[in-house]
């Protein structure tokens, strides 16, 4: 079975950095589909500036028409902290032995030690680390240990087992973040060409991001 990509985040808002990463990994790994899972209550960062309904609408508008992408709102519906391990448990129960690929930015992977039940993540999914400008691989802690023990350099091997491997991608590194997009909007400038036009229209219609946020994603 082709692996299923699992791409979580605040998507506050969705932008071309997210989409280009998903596009390249879908092609490079041969993913069946990439599920975008907007988080509801982030356990390790400030609350999103846009409400859940607006972020979900932007995300759905951004991926509409691309059959390789889908939006899964289970973390918004679940309530409570959006623990990734709970989502992976649910997907594993639904998907049987289909390989699951958890997509993480290199900056997010660097903080994996703080994640809820982080040691169990490789039991449910492979981890694919997407390179980000200015971020490097961890030199210590759980992240470094997983790389020592589980790293593979052939993406084809991610289809050979349901979970358990760590792969570092060579994706295009766009120097773009949600906080940078929010800052553009807060400054009264147009976010055109930083995100899909459909998502931009929702931002303009709702007046989201009147003030810049602080958290990067």
């Amino acid at each position: 079975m082709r692996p299923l990509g699992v791409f979580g985040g605040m998507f506050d808002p969705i932008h071309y950095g997210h989409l280009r990463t998903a596009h390249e990994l879908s092609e490079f790994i041969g993913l069946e589909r990439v599920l975008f899972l907007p988080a509801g209550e982030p356990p390790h960062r400030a609350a999103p500036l846009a409400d859940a309904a607006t972020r979900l609408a932007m995300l759905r508008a951004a991926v509409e028409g691309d059959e390789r992408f889908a939006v899964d709102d289970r973390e918004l519906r679940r309530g409570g902290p959006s623990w990734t391990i709970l989502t992976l448990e649910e997907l594993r129960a639904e998907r049987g032995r289909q390989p699951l690929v958890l997509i993480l930015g290199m900056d997010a992977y660097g903080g994996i030690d703080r994640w809820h039940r982080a040691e169990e993540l490789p039991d449910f999914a492979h981890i694919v680390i997407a390179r980000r400008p200015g971020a490097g691989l961890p030199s210590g802690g759980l992240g470094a240990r997983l790389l020592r023990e589980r790293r593979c350099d052939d993406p084809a091997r991610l289809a050979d087992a349901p979970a358990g491997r760590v792969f570092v991608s060579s994706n295009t590194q766009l120097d773009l973040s949600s906080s940078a997009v929010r800052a553009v909007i807060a400054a009264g400038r147009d976010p055109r060409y930083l995100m899909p036009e459909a998502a931009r229209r929702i931002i303009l219609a709702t007046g989201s991001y009147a003030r810049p946020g602080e958290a990067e994603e």
Side-chain angles (χ1 to χ4, degrees):
M1 288 183 287
R2 294 166 63 193
L4 177 72
V6 181
F7 195 172
M10 298 311 302
F11 303 113
D12 189 31
I14 181 75
H15 55 70
Y16 281 132
H18 298 125
L19 295 167
R20 182 65 197 181
T21 295
H23 165 77
E24 291 188 1
L25 292 179
S26 178
E27 287 190 329
F28 193 51
I29 299 173
L31 299 175
E32 174 197 277
R33 182 167 287 185
V34 176
L35 292 184
F36 289 83
L37 293 109
E41 183 181 321
H44 301 301
R45 56 184 297 171
L49 294 188
D51 61 37
T54 301
R55 289 186 292 120
L56 184 61
M58 287 190 290
L59 191 48
R60 284 175 170 160
V63 305
E64 185 177 7
D66 193 329
E67 295 183 353
R68 301 168 306 160
F69 299 160
V71 178
D72 187 320
D73 66 352
R74 73 181 66 212
E75 293 189 357
L76 298 177
R77 291 184 283 105
R78 183 190 299 142
S82 295
W83 303 120
T84 298
I85 190 67
L86 300 183
T87 297
L88 294 179
E89 284 180 328
E90 292 174 0
L91 288 171
R92 176 56 63 210
E94 295 166 11
R95 297 283 177 156
R97 290 187 57 80
Q98 181 180 15
L100 300 179
V101 169
L102 177 63
I103 299 170
L104 298 179
M106 192 170 283
D107 48 350
Y109 183 76
I112 200 169
D113 293 80
R114 302 190 302 273
W115 289 37
H116 183 57
R117 293 167 56 193
E119 292 268 4
E120 299 177 48
L121 293 173
D123 296 335
F124 292 91
H126 302 300
I127 298 174
V128 169
I129 305 168
R131 295 188 182 275
R132 290 286 303 270
L137 293 172
S139 58
L142 176 62
R145 179 160 61 81
L146 291 178
L147 285 166
R148 287 195 306 271
E149 297 174 356
R150 297 177 177 270
R151 183 168 183 171
C152 74
D153 295 321
D154 181 1
R157 294 188 62 202
L158 301 179
D160 293 342
R165 293 172 179 149
V166 178
F167 176 76
V168 182
S169 78
S170 55
N171 56 285
T172 302
Q173 300 180 60
L174 298 180
D175 193 5
L176 181 61
S177 67
S178 293
S179 59
V181 174
R182 294 194 300 265
V184 166
I185 299 165
R189 290 156 38 215
D190 192 336
R192 189 187 296 269
Y193 306 127
L194 296 177
M195 61 178 60
E197 179 62 16
R200 170 183 170 270
R201 289 175 181 168
I202 291 172
I203 287 175
L204 297 180
T206 59
S208 298
Y209 311 118
R211 287 172 288 186
E214 296 179 352
E216 294 270 345
E217 85 175 67

